[in-house]
Amino acid sequence: MSPGANDDVLIVGGGVGGLALALSLHQAGISCRVFEAVPEILPLGVGINLLPHAMRELSELGLQDELAARAIETRELAFYSRHGQFIYKEPRGRFAGYDWPQLSIHRADLHDVLLTAVKQRLGKDAVQLGHRCIQVDQDASGVTLHFDKTQPRTGKLVVGCDGIHSALRRQLVPGEGLPKYSGVNMWRGTVRWPAFLGGDTMVSTGWMTVGKTVIYPVRPGTPETAGRPLINWVAEIERPEAVRQDWTGRGRLADMMPAFSGLKFDWLDITAMIESTEEILEYPMVDRDPLPRWSLGRLTLLGDAAHPMYPRGSNGAGQAIIDARFLAGQIRKLGATEAALAAYETVRNPATAKVVLTNRTDPPDTILREVWQRSGGKRFARIEDVISAGELEAISERYKKVAGFDRETLKTRPSFV
Ligand SMILES: Cc1cc2nc3c(=O)[nH]c(=O)nc-3n(C[C@H](O)[C@H](O)[C@H](O)COP(=O)(O)OP(=O)(O)OC[C@H]3O[C@@H](n4cnc5c(N)ncnc54)[C@H](O)[C@@H]3O)c2cc1C
């Protein structure tokens, strides 16, 4: 019998969400298999932040120590104006009293830790590479997946974890078209660079009208790198035209400048750091409108396939991981049934829709927008003259509640699986 025949759950897409689902189902004693389109896994992408709600789930999977060894435990989140003036900072993760850390990590390291664990725990056939799913059929007894080049596979349920350009979502919502452009273009890169602000701060500067940056270390320094950590940076600016939506699309320094020139502060020369980056990636900030439903019978969606969101609150990977854990919990309780998918959707659809919409209007970088607008983009003598500390803290706390990582909720809610 071929691998994957009659598994309970067929997972389409071996990204962050699909692998977290495979590990969670295995932990719950449910058989599953992952079908991934690419023939070979490459260390792609740049930095990702794992907030305490995602880290609680990864720690319940026994992966916290391995992730922490490859990541930077974030101590502080800080905001500065375009002129380098301090606006606001707050402790993060365990430094803010959570039971779980906030980790800043390279996507390739996160993916590698998940993939290695899947192979070790579920076996080397658990992830089938080179399987691009093009169509799902279902009837009362199960589902059949069809691939572009390989034989069909059958199972009881199928979960589309196939990312922002999901083929399964296209089947559910024909004619939806491309994700929606926000009007903001993003360039990203990683570079070995001297540590700044204690070596464990995530910092955000400026505003998107004139150029916003998000910068944080994702890998510790080593003797080979002369102690320099790997720094992840993102540069964002409003642009009328969207570039092609491709995670590996190359960006050009010339297109970013002069918006990001002259950003030399006493704690970091941002412009020099960007100019020293060998490979710059370019991606438009896009999302999709929340769907009223994302399950149909034995098929459901998870992660970016279900609810792609702007990367403005460090929640894309985290919400995919939480979906995975919650869905595994429902399948454990209700079996590999349509009822389990319905129970998953009833809770996770409205919860993630709120995050998608809040990322459009009121994510944590609202702090930068408010300061930019109220100060007219000019230098200010004291931040208190522009906005009160209480108002800044309230913006940050509001988002934690929407995204499900305020300290009390996280401490007291039962485990999903
Ligand atoms: C190569 C790559 C690089 C990325 N880089 C970044 C980054 O630098 N920063 C960031 O914030 N986010 C990045 N992302 C997105 C980020 O991983 C997700 O936003 C988030 O982790 C949610 O994960 P997901 O599992 O829903 O989607 P993803 O992690 O995007 O995983 C989707 C997976 O499905 C596979 N797939 C797609 N179509 C099919 C199909 N028809 N059949 C089978 N498999 C299919 C894809 O190859 C991919 O492995 C990247 C995604 C990819 C795929």
Side-chain angles (χ1 to χ4, degrees):
M1 193 181 281
S2 63
N6 300 321
D7 279 307
D8 280 342
V9 182
L10 308 184
I11 299 169
V12 176
V16 173
L19 296 178
L21 179 62
L23 289 168
S24 305
L25 289 170
H26 174 74
Q27 190 179 47
I30 297 142
S31 71
C32 64
R33 203 163 302 269
V34 179
F35 299 96
E36 165 57 47
V38 300
E40 184 190 2
I41 303 287
L42 299 171
L44 298 173
V46 286
I48 276 185
N49 255 270
L50 297 168
L51 304 182
H53 55 347
M55 282 311 301
R56 173 173 172 179
E57 303 308 323
L58 293 165
S59 130
E60 288 183 14
L61 282 171
L63 298 174
Q64 180 166 317
D65 291 347
E66 257 166 277
L67 290 166
R70 296 172 71 161
I72 301 286
E73 180 166 356
T74 307
R75 179 177 49 87
E76 208 161 67
L77 171 65
F79 295 88
Y80 287 80
S81 77
R82 185 176 169 81
H83 310 293
Q85 294 166 288
F86 173 74
I87 294 173
Y88 174 75
K89 69 177 176 180
E90 64 177 30
R92 302 291 280 190
R94 289 196 288 214
F95 299 94
Y98 285 88
D99 292 343
W100 299 275
Q102 172 171 337
L103 296 186
S104 297
I105 190 164
H106 197 291
R107 183 186 182 275
D109 291 335
L110 168 63
H111 193 263
D112 186 50
V113 168
L114 292 170
L115 185 60
T116 304
V118 169
K119 286 182 183 162
Q120 281 168 355
R121 297 176 193 184
L122 284 78
K124 65 177 177 34
D125 286 337
V127 180
Q128 301 275 302
L129 298 178
H131 281 67
R132 178 173 297 281
C133 181
I134 48 170
Q135 167 83 25
V136 177
D137 293 332
Q138 56 176 306
D139 59 24
S141 63
V143 292
T144 305
L145 301 196
H146 300 276
F147 302 97
D148 58 348
K149 292 182 186 140
T150 49
Q151 291 303 308
R153 302 296 176 96
T154 57
K156 292 184 186 156
L157 297 177
V158 57
V159 187
C161 307
D162 48 344
I164 192 160
H165 300 296
S166 167
L168 271 60
R169 180 172 173 132
R170 253 194 321 274
Q171 196 178 323
L172 268 184
V173 195
E176 192 185 23
L178 279 177
K180 286 189 167 173
Y181 181 49
S182 63
V184 173
N185 196 36
M186 300 187 293
W187 291 268
R188 303 170 186 238
T190 55
V191 60
R192 289 284 172 183
W193 200 256
F196 60 90
L197 298 176
D200 47 11
T201 297
M202 176 173 183
V203 68
S204 211
T205 75
W207 180 239
M208 296 183 214
T209 319
V210 284
K212 179 192 144 196
T213 64
V214 182
I215 306 161
Y216 50 91
V218 289
R219 274 183 199 149
T222 63
E224 293 77 50
T225 67
R228 292 178 171 207
L230 188 71
I231 307 289
N232 174 82
W233 59 262
V234 188
E236 306 168 6
I237 194 160
E238 291 170 1
R239 285 279 158 91
E241 297 290 317
V243 295
R244 202 159 69 88
Q245 296 182 24
D246 171 4
W247 284 120
T248 58
R250 295 293 156 88
R252 293 186 327 150
L253 193 60
D255 294 338
M256 302 175 54
M257 299 298 174
F260 298 93
S261 59
L263 298 178
K264 185 175 179 183
F265 308 139
D266 53 5
W267 44 272
L268 180 65
D269 186 340
I270 298 178
T271 305
M273 183 186 69
I274 290 175
E275 284 172 346
S276 302
T277 304
E278 265 174 38
E279 184 184 270
I280 295 177
L281 299 173
E282 188 176 29
Y283 201 84
M285 192 184 284
V286 294
D287 70 358
R288 289 188 186 276
D289 290 332
L291 290 177
R293 298 208 49 193
W294 64 37
S295 300
L296 180 69
R298 295 174 174 275
L299 181 161
T300 197
L301 303 176
L302 181 153
D304 278 4
H307 47 71
M309 56 185 66
Y310 296 163
R312 289 177 66 188
S314 306
N315 255 273
Q319 294 297 331
I321 291 164
I322 292 167
D323 285 351
R325 302 287 294 161
F326 193 81
L327 177 56
Q330 297 310 305
I331 297 177
R332 180 185 192 161
K333 204 155 54 178
L334 301 168
T337 59
E338 292 183 28
L341 301 191
Y344 154 73
E345 171 170 337
T346 301
V347 172
R348 291 302 297 157
N349 184 321
T352 52
K354 258 197 268 171
V355 186
V356 171
L357 297 177
T358 306
N359 279 13
R360 286 180 183 173
T361 55
D362 194 23
D365 68 14
T366 301
I367 287 176
L368 294 176
R369 185 188 67 208
E370 286 303 307
V371 172
W372 171 258
Q373 287 177 348
R374 292 183 200 192
S375 66
K378 298 198 178 72
R379 285 179 191 277
F380 44 82
R382 297 178 334 137
I383 184 63
E384 299 87 322
D385 300 334
V386 180
I387 189 168
S388 73
E391 207 177 330
L392 292 170
E393 191 182 342
I395 295 171
S396 182
E397 291 306 314
R398 222 163 37 226
Y399 187 74
K400 288 175 191 160
K401 284 215 162 59
V402 168
F405 70 103
D406 61 294
R407 214 171 43 220
E408 282 322 300
T409 308
L410 200 53
K411 226 186 185 88
T412 50
R413 75 157 166 73
S415 169
F416 292 142
V417 182

